Amino acid sequence: MKFEVTILGSSSATPIFNRNPTAQVLNINEKLYLVDCAEGTQQQMLRFDVKASRIDYIFISHLHGDHYLGLVGLLSSMHLNGRKKELKIFGPPPLKEIVDLQLKYSETTLHYPLEWVFTDATAKGIILENQDIFVETIPLDHRIPCTGFLFRQKKRLRKLIKEKIEQLEIPVAYYSAIKKGNDYTAPDGTVYQNSTLTIEPAEPKSYAYVSDTLYTEKYLAQINSVTLLYHEATFLNDMLDRANQTHHTTALQAGEVAVRVNAEKLVIGHFSARYKTLNELLEEAQSVFPNTELAVEGKTFVISE
């Protein structure tokens, strides 16, 4: 199952030095999930060939402008381009009021329905489940209510051993039951154990999106052993006091989080506009967690294939 994330924006409060504020898109089994939607997100989607018509889920971490100010524009473009199918939006309760107010005063009635799912920044919880994944909120510690999002694959069915299935000429009608773990009884009464017909599927993969937050321990257990961790890294550690004051994280701290949760890979982003180049931030995170990369705009990180 395809499971990958493409970076659309990696700057913090302002767009600068060819970096746009935060937005990402996940492709999970050919369904698209937009995570945060700063100003300029539509342009980035065009630039990196992300089709808005394929997005059915939008997740907004919190109500600082560099994470949601592109949302109403995107909703309006979907409307103008003839969208009819439902769009689900997950975010803080006041977000609906903001969207409703802007639509009201522009006298816009969307031609498609919005389904709102409100997040609670005080407690983790599953906010979406479909045939492919679970999505949980990750309570964070920012200046205003803020959540991250944990995307977890569902455990797949067992995989058929093609050669064995063909050798025994097992009818297709039995495939589903065998994948679910059932044995197969042949017409002559011979019972073939499931373990001889199938193999274990790959372990489910996961992606944690840790948005703006002070470095704390309260979210670490929830993201333990995550496959790919995106973590904000707004400042270098020589600006730790500023990071604490603004409830952000340093690159060094992001690396320490990755170590503590036993992540397979770390991607850092949400870079302060004060940094024209990002090598120092990368090197600082890599000093404690070598398997770290930058959230370079347009780059796609494959979680599973």
Side-chain angles (χ1 to χ4, degrees):
M1 181 178 81
K2 179 178 281 190
F3 190 5
E4 61 187 31
V5 57
T6 299
I7 307 301
L8 301 178
S10 63
S11 185
S12 55
T14 58
I16 197 165
F17 306 126
N18 297 316
R19 299 196 303 264
N20 283 25
T22 301
Q24 303 181 0
V25 63
L26 278 77
N27 183 331
I28 304 175
N29 207 18
E30 299 303 336
K31 296 184 179 71
L32 299 189
Y33 303 72
L34 183 65
V35 183
D36 279 339
C37 187
E39 60 178 311
T41 295
Q42 288 191 79
Q43 287 290 338
Q44 294 293 85
M45 289 168 60
L46 291 170
R47 181 182 176 191
F48 301 121
D49 195 29
V50 177
K51 292 179 172 55
S53 60
R54 293 182 57 202
I55 295 172
D56 292 332
Y57 309 92
I58 297 178
F59 299 83
I60 302 297
S61 62
H62 65 295
L63 294 181
H64 280 154
D66 57 321
H67 293 261
Y68 84 92
L69 282 179
L71 178 60
V72 171
L74 178 59
L75 298 181
S76 297
S77 292
M78 289 176 169
H79 163 78
L80 293 172
N81 289 328
R83 184 186 181 100
K84 301 297 182 184
K85 62 179 176 176
E86 180 182 80
L87 178 68
K88 293 182 174 64
I89 302 178
F90 304 79
L95 182 60
K96 182 179 186 299
E97 179 183 356
I98 293 169
V99 170
D100 287 346
L101 188 66
Q102 294 191 57
L103 294 177
K104 173 183 176 180
Y105 284 103
S106 66
E107 299 185 6
T108 300
T109 302
L110 299 179
H111 293 321
Y112 59 92
L114 297 179
E115 179 182 336
W116 292 91
V117 178
F118 298 130
T119 53
D120 179 357
T122 66
K124 67 180 181 181
I126 294 175
I127 55 174
L128 174 65
E129 177 184 354
N130 57 29
Q131 65 182 8
D132 299 318
I133 58 165
F134 298 98
V135 183
E136 300 175 14
T137 51
I138 305 171
L140 300 174
D141 188 346
H142 195 40
R143 293 191 296 110
I144 64 173
C146 182
T147 65
F149 301 103
L150 176 60
F151 295 79
R152 294 187 291 115
Q153 283 181 325
K154 286 189 169 179
K155 188 173 178 62
R156 308 288 284 177
L157 296 176
R158 295 183 65 84
K159 297 178 67 174
L160 299 177
I161 301 174
K162 183 179 178 182
E163 297 79 7
K164 190 70 173 179
I165 297 295
E166 292 176 349
Q167 176 188 340
L168 296 174
E169 298 182 343
I170 299 176
V172 173
Y174 291 90
Y175 287 7
S176 178
I178 295 171
K179 287 180 179 180
K180 292 176 182 177
N182 293 307
D183 298 331
Y184 170 66
T185 302
D188 64 2
T190 303
V191 176
Y192 294 91
Q193 297 296 313
N194 186 269
S195 59
T196 68
L197 304 173
T198 64
I199 58 174
E200 283 280 354
E203 281 298 306
K205 306 295 186 181
S206 56
Y207 175 64
Y209 173 82
V210 178
S211 184
D212 300 17
T213 187
L214 186 72
Y215 176 60
T216 72
E217 296 190 350
K218 69 179 185 179
Y219 59 89
L220 300 188
Q222 187 181 358
I223 61 174
N224 189 55
S225 298
V226 68
T227 309
L228 178 62
L229 169 63
Y230 167 86
H231 201 291
E232 73 120 302
T234 308
F235 300 107
L236 288 169
N237 210 60
D238 62 5
M239 297 198 67
L240 180 58
D241 288 345
R242 178 64 176 164
N244 290 336
Q245 179 186 359
T246 57
H247 284 235
H248 282 297
T249 307
T250 70
L252 184 68
Q253 290 174 325
E256 290 171 346
V257 169
V259 171
R260 295 190 62 180
V261 303
N262 194 32
E264 289 187 20
K265 186 181 187 68
L266 170 65
V267 175
I268 56 172
H270 199 265
F271 310 116
S272 169
R274 72 185 62 243
Y275 303 113
K276 292 184 179 181
T277 62
L278 304 174
N279 287 342
E280 287 185 274
L281 289 150
L282 177 61
E283 290 169 1
E284 185 171 276
Q286 288 179 333
S287 71
V288 289
F289 190 80
N291 194 16
T292 301
E293 292 193 41
L294 296 170
V296 176
E297 296 181 10
K299 183 161 187 175
T300 296
F301 296 92
V302 176
I303 302 164
S304 73
E305 298 180 90

